[in-house]
Amino acid sequence: MEKAEAIRNSKGGTPLTMLTAYDYPTAKILDAAGVDMILVGDSVGMTLLGFPDTTHVTLAHMAHHVGAVARGTSRAFLICDLPINTYTTVEQALESARTLVKAGAEAVKLEGGVAIEAQIAAIVADGIPVVAHVGLLPQKVLEEGGYKIKGKTDDEITALMDDIDAVNRAGACCCVVEGTRPHAARMATERSVIPTIAIGSGEATCNGSVAVITDLIGGFPWFVPGFIKPKGNVAGIIEQCAREWMAEIRAWKLPQDSLPS
Ligand code: KIV
């Protein structure tokens, strides 16, 4: 709980940084780089596993990836997503959270506010820190017929404020605010005692920011969210390395006596 308390108490200080990682080398690099939090996001379903959205991700996928990331993380606060349909009831949420902690997570993240307040409170009471996630909830993509920006209407703003209140009450240590209009994210931040972490909710609207590592490094060029400015072109580097290596191999001149007679 120590790292969770440090995150919770950091509100108002230097903005928090959170990056996703799904494997050992990436975790080791991000940990050494000094990122505050590493998230094994269920975005792994899209960025690494080739699914169209996060609704295909299972607890077994998450346990597998958080184990690898835990082996590469010694300093950052390590959070793992509870995937869809693994926290429908309080009992199921507890069991799923314990499974991920056993696999290496220090905290779990769940999507929702009022609707899952009891689940968050129960996990926290069990001694497992929780990162909340409100606003646009990717696990609801099929239910809502797409990724819908939140905080556009008065009703949506009220719902967002209710959700941020709920996760504060339930004892979350910080809260991701995804895909909301900037003014709604700012309102949530002002209202929240715990730090808010923005993604796709405008710049400097929250107490920190989270990015999906493949978006940031240019590792998944087939879909780049409009709000991200990639800092590299890893996909291009992989292709270039592969092409250079193939050209070298294909230029081999095998000695004639190496061929079967
Ligand atoms: O799964 C994920 O990577 C996430 C971030 C987008 C916050 O939940």
Side-chain angles (χ1 to χ4, degrees), residues 40-46 54 57 62 81-84 111 139:
V40 184
D42 59 356
S43 50
V44 67
M46 297 152 88
T54 61
V57 177
M62 298 311 296
D81 266 340
L82 284 180
I84 191 166
E111 294 185 6
Q139 291 175 8

Side-chain angles (χ1 to χ4, degrees), residues 20 22 39 41-43 81 109 111 133 176 178 199 210 212:
T20 67
Y22 316 106
L39 169 67
D42 59 356
S43 50
D81 266 340
K109 179 165 79 58
E111 294 185 6
H133 185 152
V176 169
E178 177 163 4
I199 179 161
V210 52
V212 170

Side-chain angles (χ1 to χ4, degrees), residues 37 123 144 150 209 244:
M37 294 176 269
I123 297 170
E144 296 189 354
K150 298 294 189 296
S209 183
E244 279 181 25

Side-chain angles (χ1 to χ4, degrees), residues 3-261:
K3 288 186 190 174
E5 277 311 299
I7 294 291
R8 170 193 283 282
N9 295 332
S10 72
K11 185 153 175 127
T14 307
L16 292 164
T17 54
M18 181 194 290
L19 283 168
T20 67
Y22 316 106
D23 57 54
Y24 171 81
T26 308
K28 219 168 156 55
I29 293 165
L30 298 183
D31 197 58
V35 74
D36 298 310
M37 294 176 269
I38 293 180
L39 169 67
V40 184
D42 59 356
S43 50
V44 67
M46 297 152 88
T47 57
L48 250 65
L49 303 180
F51 292 122
D53 54 57
T54 61
T55 65
H56 304 262
V57 177
T58 65
L59 199 64
H61 288 136
M62 298 311 296
H64 176 75
H65 286 277
V66 79
V69 170
R71 287 186 282 278
T73 306
S74 57
R75 184 200 45 77
F77 186 40
L78 175 49
I79 304 146
C80 185
D81 266 340
L82 284 180
I84 191 166
N85 298 333
T86 66
Y87 51 97
T88 309
T89 64
V90 166
E91 294 71 28
Q92 189 196 27
L94 269 177
E95 199 180 314
S96 304
R98 286 174 187 156
T99 300
L100 293 184
V101 168
K102 214 166 169 189
E106 292 178 298
V108 295
K109 179 165 79 58
L110 296 71
E111 294 185 6
V114 173
I116 56 159
E117 185 176 341
Q119 282 89 325
I120 296 175
I123 297 170
V124 172
D126 201 43
I128 301 172
V130 168
V131 172
H133 185 152
V134 301
L136 187 159
L137 307 180
Q139 291 175 8
K140 292 213 182 294
V141 62
L142 301 181
E143 217 171 292
E144 296 189 354
Y147 297 105
K148 304 273 161 64
I149 295 294
K150 298 294 189 296
K152 294 197 300 262
T153 63
D154 287 349
D155 283 353
E156 282 181 3
I157 289 177
T158 303
L160 183 68
M161 298 309 122
D162 289 347
D163 283 339
I164 200 82
D165 288 351
V167 304
N168 270 269
R169 264 194 315 268
C173 65
C174 64
C175 182
V176 169
V177 179
E178 177 163 4
T180 73
R181 285 275 166 87
H183 76 278
R186 222 169 275 125
M187 284 173 70
T189 298
E190 280 166 15
R191 193 179 181 94
S192 178
V193 172
I194 59 173
T196 55
I197 313 289
I199 179 161
S201 296
E203 278 184 26
T205 57
C206 286
N207 305 114
S209 183
V210 52
V212 170
I213 190 68
T214 43
D215 294 342
L216 186 67
I217 65 176
F220 195 86
W222 308 279
F223 175 73
V224 184
F227 55 81
I228 194 96
K229 296 177 208 134
K231 307 276 183 221
N233 179 14
V234 165
I237 292 172
I238 293 174
E239 185 178 339
Q240 187 195 333
C241 291
R243 285 184 189 282
E244 279 181 25
W245 179 82
M246 288 188 295
E248 280 170 22
I249 302 306
R250 287 170 182 159
W252 278 0
K253 299 274 183 277
L254 294 188
Q256 284 308 304
D257 58 7
S258 73
L259 296 173
S261 45

